[in-house]
Amino acid sequence: MWGSLIRKRRTTMTCLALTRLLPLSFITTNTHTLSRPLQNNPLSLLPSGFSDPNSRSAIRGLCSNPIEALRMGDRGVSSLQDSVTYLTQREAAEIDEILMGPLGFSVDQLMELAGLSVATSIAEVYNSSEYNRVLAICGPGNNGGDGLVAARHLHHFGYKPFVCYPKRTPKPLYTGLVTQLESLSVPFLSVEDLPLDLSNDFDILVDAMFGFSFHGTPRPPFDDLIRRLVSLDKHDETHRKSPVIVSVDIPSGWHVEEGDISGEGIKPDMLVSLTAPKLCAKKFRGPHHFLGGRFVPPSIVDKYKLHLPPYPGTSMCVRIGKPPQIDISALRENYISPEFLEEQLEADPIDQFCKWFDDAVAAGLKEPNAMALSTAGKNGKPSSRMVLLKGVDKDGFVWYTNYESRKAHEISENPRAALLFYWDGLNRSVRVEGTVEKVSDEESDQYFHSRPRGSQIGAIVSKQSTIVPGRNFLHQEYKNLEEKFSDGSLIPKPKHWGGYRLKPELFEFWQGQKSRLHDRLQYSPDEIDGSQVWKIDRLAP
C-alpha cells in the first residue's frame, strides 16, 4: 500500500545490498604467578552449579528476590570457593621461580599477561560508559607493573585511565611501561595532585601497590593511599556514590595468608587473582573474584595439585565462584546518546531505516539484521521469535522461513505482523508494523541457491516447529542428504520454504536518552491534498 509513497534515495552500498534482496555478505607483587587453563582438567573437579564461564553477562543474568539480595551480609561471596586451590606465600614464590627459571618465562611476559588479565576482568563487569574514569595506583614492584600494563589496555578498551606512580622504578622495563602510557597521553598524577576524597573524580580505583611478596608495614606515601581507599567504604554507609576498588592479586596491606587481620584494611569490590588465589582470598567478601592468566603447564598443575576453573573461549580471565545475586528492580542503564530531532529525519521511513542500518553495520554490531518477528493467529495469541532480515526496498522487509512453521500458520490466519530491530551499541531500536505476503517463487528460489549448501540442506532437514525425537535424528537426516548431494548437483528448494515481505504501515524510531527521556519518532500514513504521505510525530517516552 505504502510502497508508492517511497521516494528514491541514493543509499550506501550496505543498504543497496539489502535493496537487491541478496544475502548480506557482511553477516554470514615483586614476583608473578599466572595460570593457564588445564587442558585436561576434568569438569568433575568443578562443583555442581559452578558459574558458567561462557556467559559474558553472568552478573546481569542471575536474578533473585530483592529482599533476599538485601539480606546478603557477605556481599555475594560464594560457598563454592573451597573447591578452588589456594596458594601459600611459599608455594606462590616457588611457582614464580619455576616459571622464570626452567620454563623460560620472562618478567615482562608475565607482567603483560597479568595486566591484560586485570583489564579484561574490569571490562567484564564494569562498562566503560558508566565506569569510565580509572585511577591505577601503582607500587614500586611487579604488582605496580601489572597496574601500568592494565592502564594501557584499559585505555585501548575505551576507558580514561590516570596513573599515580609515586615511587618509580628506574629499571628499563618499568621506564618502557611509563613511556608507553605517556605516548597515549595517559595522565600521571602525583600523590599531591590527588584529591583527599577520591569519590568525585574516579569511577574505578586499581589497587596495584603491593603483591604477595611484600613484607612489613606500608610506608609513605602508600600508607596514606591505603587509608584513602579504606575511607571509601564509609561512603557506602551514607549512600553516596563511591568508586569501586579493584585489587591486583592481593589487597594491599593484607597478610598474604591471613587476610585483613585488623579488619580495617581495604575492602575491594573486585579481586583479580593470578595463577591461583592466595590463601588470603578466602577472606575476600567482595562480589567479583576473577582469576587471570592462562599458561601454567601440566608439570606445575600436577606438582601443586591445582584445581582451577576452565577459561571460556579465548578469555584471559575467569570468574571464581558464583556471580552476586542481583536485585532485578535495581538494574538500569542511563543511556548517553546525541539528541534525535525531527529535522534530522529523512522524509521517508525506509530511507531513515537504511541510514540507521548503515550506522549499525559501520559500528561493527553483531548481526545488525537480526529482528524480532511478532505474529498472532486467529485466536489472537501473540508469539515472537528472532529472524534475519534478508532484504529491504520500497516494497518492504523480507525474510525467509519454513512455510509450515508456527509463524507461517499464524500469518496465514492473520496476515499482519510487527518487526523489532534493537542495536544495543547505538542505543537505538526500530519498530515496524504492517501486512505480510509471500514473495514470488522466483525470489525465494534465487535466494535459496545463494545460500551455502549446508544451509540449503539444513532447510530441507528442518521441519520447523515440529517435534523431533532428538538431535541425533537431525544429524542423521542431514548426513543422509549430504551424501545424496555429494556430487555437487543442484539442491532443489523445498516447496514448503520461501520468503515473506512485510509491507510497512507504521514505523517508530527509538533512541535512548538520559533520565529515561528517550526519543521516539513515529511515521504514520496520512493524506494531504489527495496525496498519501508519511506524517511524523514525537511520542512521549
Side-chain angles (χ1 to χ4, degrees), residues 56-99:
R56 284 192 56 84
S57 302
I59 61 167
R60 293 190 292 264
L62 282 188
C63 58
S64 67
N65 184 300
I67 296 177
E68 229 178 309
L70 292 173
R71 291 174 177 166
M72 293 179 62
D74 61 359
R75 300 177 66 187
V77 64
S78 173
S79 61
L80 303 176
Q81 62 182 8
D82 291 333
S83 63
V84 177
T85 300
Y86 289 73
L87 298 177
T88 65
Q89 188 174 32
R90 178 184 58 79
E91 289 171 332
E94 287 178 359
I95 291 175
D96 250 17
E97 292 176 2
I98 297 172
L99 288 172

Side-chain angles (χ1 to χ4, degrees), residues 214-374:
F214 178 78
H215 296 275
T217 303
R219 299 179 180 179
F222 297 106
D223 55 349
D224 177 63
L225 289 169
I226 290 175
R227 279 194 293 270
R228 294 196 201 186
L229 296 186
V230 170
S231 69
L232 293 173
D233 194 52
K234 295 180 173 58
H235 288 295
D236 291 334
E237 300 170 5
T238 59
H239 303 287
R240 289 176 54 191
K241 183 180 184 300
S242 181
V244 298
I245 300 174
V246 178
S247 288
V248 178
D249 206 24
I250 301 288
S252 294
W254 282 29
H255 188 282
V256 178
E257 297 180 358
E258 298 178 25
D260 181 16
I261 299 175
S262 68
E264 299 179 355
I266 297 174
K267 295 178 175 57
D269 301 89
M270 174 183 284
L271 175 63
V272 184
S273 294
L274 304 173
T275 299
K278 313 309 175 285
L279 277 175
C280 67
K282 286 192 174 185
K283 307 295 178 65
F284 172 66
R285 293 296 181 266
H288 307 294
H289 188 185
F290 280 80
L291 180 65
R294 53 183 308 172
F295 60 84
V296 174
S299 57
I300 289 182
V301 172
D302 295 340
K303 178 178 175 64
Y304 293 92
K305 297 180 173 57
L306 299 181
H307 292 180
L308 303 171
Y311 288 80
T314 58
S315 180
M316 290 298 298
C317 63
V318 59
R319 181 182 287 277
I320 295 178
K322 289 182 178 179
Q325 291 180 300
I326 298 298
D327 178 359
I328 293 178
S329 67
L331 293 177
R332 57 181 49 85
E333 182 80 19
N334 195 27
Y335 300 101
I336 300 175
S337 308
E339 289 184 332
F340 184 41
L341 305 176
E342 285 80 348
E343 52 265 31
Q344 299 170 342
L345 284 173
E346 298 288 340
D348 186 274
I350 291 291
D351 291 344
Q352 182 62 41
F353 176 85
C354 285
K355 185 177 180 179
W356 271 23
F357 186 87
D358 292 342
D359 289 344
V361 173
L365 303 187
K366 184 178 180 180
E367 291 195 314
N369 61 329
M371 59 185 186
L373 167 65
S374 297

Side-chain angles (χ1 to χ4, degrees), residues 99-203:
L99 288 172
M100 292 186 290
L103 293 181
F105 286 93
S106 61
V107 175
D108 53 338
Q109 280 182 310
L110 299 177
M111 193 175 292
E112 184 67 28
L113 291 166
L116 178 58
S117 299
V118 172
T120 54
S121 297
I122 291 173
E124 188 85 14
V125 175
Y126 302 111
N127 191 294
S128 62
S129 64
E130 185 177 357
Y131 296 86
N132 186 253
R133 303 164 301 169
V134 182
L135 174 65
I137 305 175
C138 302
N142 286 359
N143 196 262
D146 296 345
L148 296 174
V149 174
R152 168 160 45 82
H153 286 293
L154 288 170
H155 169 85
H156 292 304
F157 291 172
Y159 296 81
K160 186 178 181 181
F162 300 79
V163 176
C164 178
Y165 189 25
K167 295 290 184 180
R168 300 194 180 190
T169 303
K171 295 179 181 178
L173 170 58
Y174 298 89
T175 302
L177 295 177
V178 170
T179 300
Q180 292 162 16
L181 289 167
E182 290 175 338
S183 71
L184 297 173
S185 299
V186 172
F188 278 77
L189 307 177
S190 67
V191 176
E192 294 71 26
D193 292 331
L194 294 177
L196 290 176
D197 183 356
L198 301 173
S199 299
N200 297 324
D201 295 80
F202 305 104
D203 305 307

